[in-house]
Amino acid sequence: MASEEALDAVRESAQSINDVTTYARVGTVAVITLDSPPVNALGGAVRQGLMDAFAKAEADPEAHAVVLACAGRTFIAGADIREFDAPDPDAPDLLDVLARIDACPKPTVAAIHGTALGGGLETALCCHYRVATPSAKVGLPEVALGLLPGAGGTQRLPRIVGAQTALEMMVLGKPVAASRAHENGLIDAIIEGDLLKGAIAFAENAVHSGAPPVPVREWSEGLSLPHDAELFARFRADNSRAFKGYQAPENIVRAVEAAVTLPFEAGMRREAELFQELFASRQSAALRYLFFAERQTARVPDLPADTPRRPIAQVGVIGAGTMGSGIAMNFLSAGIPVTLVEQEEAALERSVATIRRNYEISLKKGKLTQAKLDACMERLHPSLDMADLGEADLVIEAVFEKMALKQEIFARLDGIARPGAILATNTSFLDVNAIAAATSRPGDVIGLHFFSPANVMRLLEVVRGSATRPDVVATAMSLARTIAKIPVLSGVCDGFIANRMMTPRMDAAQALILEGPLPWEVDKAMVDYGFAMGPFAMLDLVGLDVIGWDPATSTSSTVTQVLCETGRWGQKRQAGFYDYDETRRPSPSPVTEALVREFQSRAETPPRRFSDEEIVERLLLPVVNEGARILEEGIALRASDIDVALVMGYGWPPATGGPMFWADTVGLGNVIGGLEAIGEAPAPLLRRLAEADATLHTWPEAA
Ligand code: T1G
């Protein structure tokens, strides 16, 4: 067993193989350590380092075994996604590096901490043994990037865990805990205490056991588990939701079918074919784009990294309705006590019961322990008195969308909240500056716009008012990560970013049904494009009467007005654009069809058929145009923020990348042409960028 001293020696005396790789030997065990922040991704230098270090270990007569470990916060978290579009021409190919590790005649042990993901787990699968810390996680999440594990993962993993488990891990893409991986044989030992020490001891035992190390490619344990055609058919059927609209899951299943039916090398060739198909796909390009876009939203160019953050140790929420309850849960789940203020006792009790019920649902699903549930509920302090918010570091108002009510609450809060507290409003469209003006401290006021259900939707629109201080903005942007949200910074305007972008889509849909398509034809095209629901079904869900319809001023001048006037308010009335049965299953309505045909007959141009592609384009073009205006007005920092907001806030299909990504993919010249064809004036920014042969994603640099 290696002593502390020996380990320190490793750490001090390691020889540098290259900038990110060191080689050391402890007794008879070679220790190869990668140190390539932030996540030891398999970029060019790491691949070169691995190739050279394993060559050195093989040639080192004193080394009888090899341990592969990583410095920093995690084991290898995958191939370097940044390099996908700009591969390092001088570095060895990943498959060659892994073939080298796989062929090592000496026992090899991967020492895993943090996350071994994608190419990282595939590297570990090329080692004879894998040991891990109890908190480690391992997984093959490539499906989230529209890919499959393309470095042998689809061929080696089933050989250990069997086809069923391998399919679950790769198609669902969720990393598994070390304990679970130990149970299914993927991890050979859980190391309590010092991982490196434990890994070296494990390697020494492997040598002393005298058992010849067997590369995973020769394993058959997993292949002896059930893997008949039935299993694959059942898996496809049971997981149809994961397959819907995505290419990668089907390619993963085919790769695993190859693993259980073909010899290893033939399976590897099949994997490579299926990988290339996905790698070249627009879906994967979109999902890779969103991977980085999501991680960029928190960067605010005019906020230096060292902008101070205000500590948020206790939070207040005013209004215990659906939004207030959901908002409170985010902080409770993050370990932050919440004082939840409501006017009526009954409403407060309802909210506390809703919060407990939501946690109990997570408990049943195994997503939460009883201890965690109890701890969250203990942190909740219901109150009927705003005075109880005096100690809060942040207070979030979530009451009805009435300006006068919000201003009255902020004026009272101004007299209650401690100096330095952040005062936030969850308004989804009201003027944050006007709300801030109701206080003596507008610099401490900010918009924190959550999306319903607030404890589930990952988007948080952070709305910066004209007086909002930099440290308040910086605190809100960081706090989002604490409550597992993706922050998108927005300026003040009607509907901020996400709502403002969705409005033209709705308007375009309503205009389009006057030209020929029926509402359910428009919805079908949008659902086939990837949306969970079309615009008209969404209207029926929300309720036609709550989206700006006023019986007093209704003049039967639109299809929606007539539907409202005739009481067809949507699902809640079992009639809207669709008819609904008692289980709320929608069906195209002959009433609506007749009404739409009647409106079409009044239109200047005779109705005509539209292809699904045309329908999608007609709804996306005005959205892109609005996006360009939002960028031009400085409401959004960058085009990718807009895409992230719509994907995370409105379920815009991730496999499309979002409307701004779509626009750059089809070309701004075509977008401008399409807008002019439907009589919509293209935003000046679109013209400027098209003339400069630039894209929305190069703005503002390319302005
Ligand atoms: N490549 C390049 N950069 C990466 C990266 C990767 N694989 N993973 C993370 N980063 C960057 C990220 O952009 C951010 O940078 C920083 O690391 C911290 O990330 C052949 C084809 C590991 C669980 O899909 O899931 O292997 O913004 O903010 O919340 O089969 O990152 O600071 O400049 O997310 O602590 C498969 C992707 C690749 C895992 C850490 N691997 N990464 O989460 O930090 S495909 C993945 C993650 C592949 C092979 C295939 C998470 C994380 P910056 P972060 P985190």
Side-chain angles (χ1 to χ4, degrees), residues 67-88:
V67 165
L68 170 60
C70 290
R73 63 178 171 166
T74 181
F75 189 78
I76 303 167
D80 190 333
I81 307 169
R82 285 179 206 287
E83 267 195 14
F84 281 6
D85 302 319
D88 176 344

Side-chain angles (χ1 to χ4, degrees), residues 362-382:
S362 301
L363 181 69
K364 279 208 194 78
K365 290 186 183 158
K367 291 187 181 159
L368 193 69
T369 62
Q370 184 63 50
K372 179 96 195 263
L373 185 153
D374 299 340
C376 289
M377 293 311 292
E378 265 147 44
R379 288 185 202 111
L380 178 60
H381 309 297

Side-chain angles (χ1 to χ4, degrees), residues 127-483:
C127 296
H128 300 111
Y129 307 101
R130 286 148 294 283
V131 301
T133 58
S135 61
K137 289 199 169 174
V138 298
L140 296 173
E142 284 84 345
V143 70
L145 299 167
L147 296 170
L148 57 74
T154 67
Q155 303 306 302
R156 290 190 173 88
L157 185 63
R159 282 172 161 72
I160 299 180
V161 301
Q164 180 68 30
T165 302
L167 286 170
E168 286 162 9
M169 283 183 67
M170 291 187 273
V171 170
L172 307 179
K174 296 269 173 294
V176 296
S179 53
R180 175 90 186 281
H182 188 221
E183 281 157 26
N184 65 27
L186 187 48
I187 296 288
D188 297 282
I190 301 289
I191 306 291
E192 304 285 349
D194 188 306
L195 174 64
L196 189 56
K197 198 171 176 180
I200 291 169
F202 190 96
E204 287 167 342
N205 288 342
V207 173
H208 297 148
S209 73
V214 182
V216 173
R217 70 181 134 78
E218 292 169 17
W219 287 38
S220 57
E221 282 80 344
L223 301 184
S224 59
L225 295 169
H227 55 257
D228 54 13
E230 255 315 290
L231 179 146
F232 292 101
R234 212 174 27 255
F235 184 85
R236 286 182 174 98
D238 294 351
N239 296 281
S240 54
R241 260 168 70 90
F243 284 66
K244 186 168 174 308
Y246 290 93
Q247 264 170 285
E250 179 53 32
N251 280 34
I252 291 171
V253 174
R254 292 182 188 172
V256 177
E257 282 171 328
V260 298
T261 54
L262 299 174
F264 181 77
E265 293 307 337
M268 286 293 283
R269 285 192 295 278
R270 184 77 183 115
E271 175 191 278
E273 286 162 15
L274 292 162
F275 178 83
Q276 277 313 325
E277 220 176 85
L278 296 174
F279 190 79
S281 71
R282 196 182 277 184
Q283 274 196 357
S284 181
L287 293 166
R288 286 162 15 213
Y289 154 76
L290 284 173
F291 177 87
F292 289 115
E294 198 186 300
R295 284 159 180 78
Q296 205 184 6
T297 65
R299 298 206 174 93
V300 180
D302 64 348
L303 272 190
D306 61 359
T307 304
R309 271 82 171 150
R310 298 187 187 179
I312 306 293
Q314 46 180 308
V315 166
V317 175
I318 303 173
T322 310
M323 288 306 288
S325 308
I327 292 169
M329 285 184 73
N330 291 306
F331 294 94
L332 298 172
S333 305
I336 300 173
V338 175
T339 301
L340 179 59
V341 176
E342 183 50 75
Q343 288 179 311
E344 286 141 36
E345 181 78 41
L348 201 52
E349 282 169 7
R350 251 197 325 276
S351 168
V352 174
T354 303
I355 292 173
R356 177 176 291 283
R357 204 171 38 253
N358 287 340
Y359 279 130
E360 278 161 357
I361 292 168
S362 301
L363 181 69
K364 279 208 194 78
K365 290 186 183 158
K367 291 187 181 159
L368 193 69
T369 62
Q370 184 63 50
K372 179 96 195 263
L373 185 153
D374 299 340
C376 289
M377 293 311 292
E378 265 147 44
R379 288 185 202 111
L380 178 60
H381 309 297
S383 163
L384 294 170
D385 186 355
M386 271 182 69
D388 291 341
L389 299 169
E391 292 311 307
D393 304 310
L394 163 67
V395 180
I396 305 173
E397 159 277 313
V399 302
F400 290 115
E401 293 280 32
K402 293 212 173 354
M403 180 56 88
L405 173 61
K406 291 189 188 278
Q407 289 178 320
E408 184 250 327
I409 285 178
F410 271 75
R412 284 178 55 201
L413 196 51
D414 195 16
I416 293 168
R418 67 167 181 72
I422 294 177
L423 311 181
T425 170
N426 177 54
T427 182
S428 55
F429 64 89
L430 291 174
D431 183 344
V432 172
N433 293 325
I435 295 171
T439 74
S440 62
R441 46 177 132 176
D444 297 336
V445 176
I446 194 166
L448 290 182
H449 178 212
F450 291 78
F451 285 73
S452 183
N455 56 312
V456 176
M457 298 304 281
R458 293 186 60 207
L459 178 64
L460 178 64
E461 272 185 335
V462 176
V463 184
R464 170 161 49 182
S466 50
T468 307
R469 292 177 206 280
D471 65 331
V472 172
V473 177
T475 304
M477 297 301 278
S478 310
L479 186 65
R481 199 180 173 102
T482 308
I483 58 173

Side-chain angles (χ1 to χ4, degrees), residues 674-700:
L675 286 166
E676 287 166 344
I678 59 174
E680 180 154 336
L685 176 64
L686 288 176
R687 289 197 189 286
R688 278 213 311 282
L689 291 170
E691 278 146 24
D693 202 17
T695 65
L696 286 160
H697 288 81
T698 55
W699 191 87

